[in-house]
Amino acid sequence: MASPFLFFLLAALAIVASIGMLVARSPVSSALWLVLTMFSLSGIYLTLNATFIGVIQILVYAGAIMVLFLFVIMLLNLSALPQLGDLDGTKILGFILGVAILAQLLYVLALGFDLPIAPVTPAMAAEGGDAGTLGKALFTRYALHLEIAGILLLAATIGAVMLAQRRFQ
């Protein structure tokens, strides 16, 4: 009984934290709102009985990746950020239409690749959310995807270091 209530409470917190991340004036504040979003997502995973993914969400995203983001923000010393006053109705309407088109494209892609559209039951999440099942899927079925993601993260790290060195020279 408490699990659905906790799920929706954490979902609402994730939405509020995401909006806080978008409207925060300081990049550091925005990153901290993102950390709260990651913690909320981790709680959502835990309410769906996906304990391994919930713990990894905290360790990897809220821990390591966000610390990396904060270091990059501090190294780049972002001072000229766009202000919310610069937004007008056409940009907001364009954003909403873009999100709607993206949702439709993802839906069509999910249908094309025969991905499940139906919600996952807690029993299915508990079965696939343990470390053994996830590790087996990552290193067999999704090995190429994992290697591509690793190469992209390495390229992003090298790019951030190059940008930081250019600023200090």
Side-chain angles (χ1 to χ4, degrees):
M1 184 66 186
S3 183
F5 174 73
L6 193 58
F7 176 85
F8 286 111
L9 180 69
L10 289 170
L13 180 63
I15 291 171
V16 169
S18 300
I19 292 171
M21 178 195 70
L22 290 175
V23 299
R25 293 184 176 256
S26 166
V28 175
S29 299
S30 182
L32 292 176
W33 279 108
L34 186 59
V35 169
L36 182 60
T37 304
M38 297 297 174
F39 276 111
S40 301
L41 288 176
S42 173
I44 289 172
Y45 287 136
L46 292 176
T47 59
L48 294 174
N49 295 327
T51 54
F52 178 72
I53 296 174
V55 171
I56 291 300
Q57 177 79 23
I58 291 175
L59 290 177
V60 173
Y61 290 106
I65 301 247
M66 287 313 301
V67 168
L68 180 68
F69 279 5
L70 286 174
F71 279 135
V72 168
I73 288 170
M74 290 178 192
L75 277 176
L76 293 179
N77 194 14
L78 302 175
S79 58
L81 293 175
Q83 300 295 322
L84 271 181
D86 297 340
L87 293 177
D88 58 354
T90 58
K91 290 180 181 176
I92 293 172
L93 181 64
F95 176 76
I96 292 171
L97 287 175
V99 168
I101 290 172
L102 179 66
Q104 288 178 348
L105 286 174
L106 289 177
Y107 181 76
V108 169
L109 279 175
L111 288 177
F113 287 116
D114 198 24
L115 296 175
I117 301 295
V120 176
T121 63
M124 290 170 58
E127 181 181 313
D130 64 341
T133 305
L134 188 62
K136 185 177 179 182
L138 277 178
F139 290 111
T140 56
R141 185 174 176 192
Y142 299 107
L144 179 64
H145 303 87
L146 185 67
E147 290 179 6
I148 290 172
I151 290 171
L152 286 175
L153 287 174
L154 178 65
T157 304
I158 291 172
V161 169
M162 296 296 286
L163 287 174
Q165 284 181 347
R166 186 176 304 160
R167 180 168 297 263
F168 290 120
Q169 288 177 353

